[in-house]
Amino acid sequence: MQKKSIWKKLTASREASLVIVLIVLCAVVSIFSPNFLSPTNIGQIFRNNALIMVMAVGMLCVLLTGGIDISITSILAFSGMTVGMLLKNEILSNTFLLFVIATAIGLGCGILNGVIISKGKVTPIICTMGFMYIWRGLAYVVSNSSWASGSDVAGYSDFGKDGSAGPYVILIVVFVLFFILMKWTKFGRKIYAVGSNAEAARISGINVDRTLTSAYAVMGMLSGLCGALSVAIYASAQPNMQYGKEMDVIAACVIGGASMNGGRGTIVGTFFGALIMAIIAKALPLVGIDSIAQNTVKGVIILAVVILNVVTQRMMDRQNLERREM
């Protein structure tokens, strides 16, 4: 049997290629900033990007079905603003209940998105674009032309303050839970089946509409959770929270190997993709990139990683084809 070259072994797994990208990124940044990989910096990378990383899990579920959701940060703002106003007006202060309320709001928004897309047969990007404005508008309505400051959310913000384990616990629980769900449960198998071939999934007995709705419900639920988490981490609530960050969430999934056509992507790949995005965000200021040029450099890096993913996927497909022909 012919032995595989080291390069072929590395490219046989998309996750392995992402690990190489991570190592190279960290090595380059460490040259410019030797303290980059210090425990403090690593902790800040995960804490400051916890919202993107958690929402990337939900976005993966949506992308796997062949859909997309660009209303996620508006759901985050709506649910987060609700939490902020409840705290500011001293209506509720229990941290657990506030997280439950925010998550429930997000779940409701996601279900509505999913029902209109699945039952109404509305194109996902059109539906979620409309709701992007609706949910953001409701965030402004809830705010009543005000915002919740640090003093308004004092006590609650202890959950997400620097040094608190809260954001890390949520990150770990979300990724472990959905790794299990997507790999070993009917829910995960249905998501992949619908994204790979919706008609074949329907013929095999899968309720395609329910599966699509479930994917958007998960996305909304995690967006709502991130709304509550955002208020805790940043100790404030404003209607424009995380404005425009939905593109970072989508980019994290695509970098992680998720296909925009559905049916392909993994939780592990999404984790590495989100981590690459987080490292880029932290690294650019450290290496002396001017703030004006940061988005350009960020775009070039993302494009390079996506091209690497495409090349890796083609090599994997070629290797699979060669094995079938033997």
Side-chain angles (χ1 to χ4, degrees):
M1 184 181 290
Q2 187 178 2
K3 289 185 178 180
K4 289 184 178 180
S5 66
I6 296 176
W7 173 249
K8 282 190 175 182
K9 287 180 180 179
L10 292 174
T11 54
S13 166
R14 187 180 296 105
E15 286 78 10
S17 66
L18 291 173
V19 171
I20 294 171
V21 171
L22 277 170
I23 293 172
V24 171
L25 267 178
C26 291
V28 171
V29 178
S30 296
I31 294 172
F32 293 92
S33 178
N35 294 325
F36 178 70
L37 292 177
S38 67
T40 300
N41 257 348
I42 292 173
Q44 288 178 349
I45 287 172
F46 281 100
R47 176 179 175 272
N48 294 340
N49 293 276
L51 306 179
I52 302 296
M53 298 180 84
V54 169
M55 287 193 292
V57 172
M59 186 60 74
L60 174 65
C61 294
V62 171
L63 291 177
L64 284 172
T65 65
I68 194 168
D69 190 345
I70 59 173
S71 70
I72 55 174
T73 53
S74 296
I75 295 175
L76 180 151
F78 177 30
S79 58
M81 203 65 233
T82 302
V83 168
M85 289 299 100
L86 288 172
L87 287 164
K88 181 174 183 176
N89 295 314
E90 299 180 353
I91 298 173
L92 186 64
S93 61
N94 184 281
T95 299
F96 177 75
L97 287 179
L98 288 168
F99 266 90
V100 170
I101 290 171
T103 303
I105 290 172
L107 178 61
C109 294
I111 290 174
L112 189 55
N113 281 348
V115 168
I116 291 177
I117 290 168
S118 62
K119 298 294 186 183
K121 308 305 177 186
V122 179
T123 305
I125 193 168
I126 300 299
C127 176
T128 57
M129 183 185 296
F131 275 116
M132 176 178 69
Y133 292 106
I134 293 172
W135 305 137
R136 185 72 66 172
L138 286 175
Y140 279 95
V141 170
V142 169
S143 72
N144 195 24
S145 301
S146 64
W147 65 293
S149 64
S151 58
D152 296 323
V153 300
Y156 172 83
S157 59
D158 289 345
F159 182 86
K161 70 181 181 181
D162 196 11
S164 169
Y168 309 109
V169 170
I170 287 179
L171 265 177
I172 293 170
V173 169
V174 167
F175 272 95
V176 170
L177 175 62
F178 277 89
F179 177 81
I180 294 170
L181 283 175
M182 300 306 291
K183 196 171 182 66
W184 291 306
T185 69
K186 289 182 179 179
F187 171 80
R189 288 193 289 273
K190 288 177 181 179
I191 291 285
Y192 279 102
V194 169
S196 298
N197 190 322
E199 190 57 36
R202 185 177 284 107
I203 292 171
S204 67
I206 294 174
N207 189 321
V208 174
D209 290 348
R210 186 183 299 168
T211 303
L212 286 174
T213 302
S214 298
Y216 286 93
V218 166
M219 180 74 263
M221 179 183 67
L222 292 179
S223 297
L225 174 68
C226 286
L229 185 59
S230 178
V231 177
I233 290 176
Y234 298 107
S236 67
Q238 302 178 47
N240 63 348
M241 286 189 291
Q242 299 296 308
Y243 185 83
K245 291 294 185 179
E246 59 274 356
M247 293 299 109
D248 284 357
V249 176
I250 295 169
C253 293
V254 174
I255 288 173
S259 171
M260 298 292 286
N261 295 320
R264 192 173 73 237
T266 65
I267 291 293
V268 174
T270 299
F271 172 77
F272 286 135
L275 188 55
I276 287 172
M277 289 290 294
I279 288 173
I280 291 172
K282 180 73 173 178
L284 292 181
L286 291 178
V287 299
I289 302 294
D290 185 85
S291 58
I292 298 175
Q294 283 180 16
N295 280 339
T296 301
V297 176
K298 182 178 178 181
V300 170
I301 295 173
I302 291 172
L303 185 60
V305 177
V306 170
I307 290 173
L308 175 63
N309 264 336
V310 172
V311 172
T312 301
Q313 183 61 43
R314 287 179 179 174
M315 294 186 72
M316 289 169 61
D317 292 342
R318 190 179 300 117
Q319 290 172 25
N320 291 334
L321 183 60
E322 289 173 355
R323 280 197 292 268
R324 284 198 296 268
E325 290 176 346
M326 289 177 63

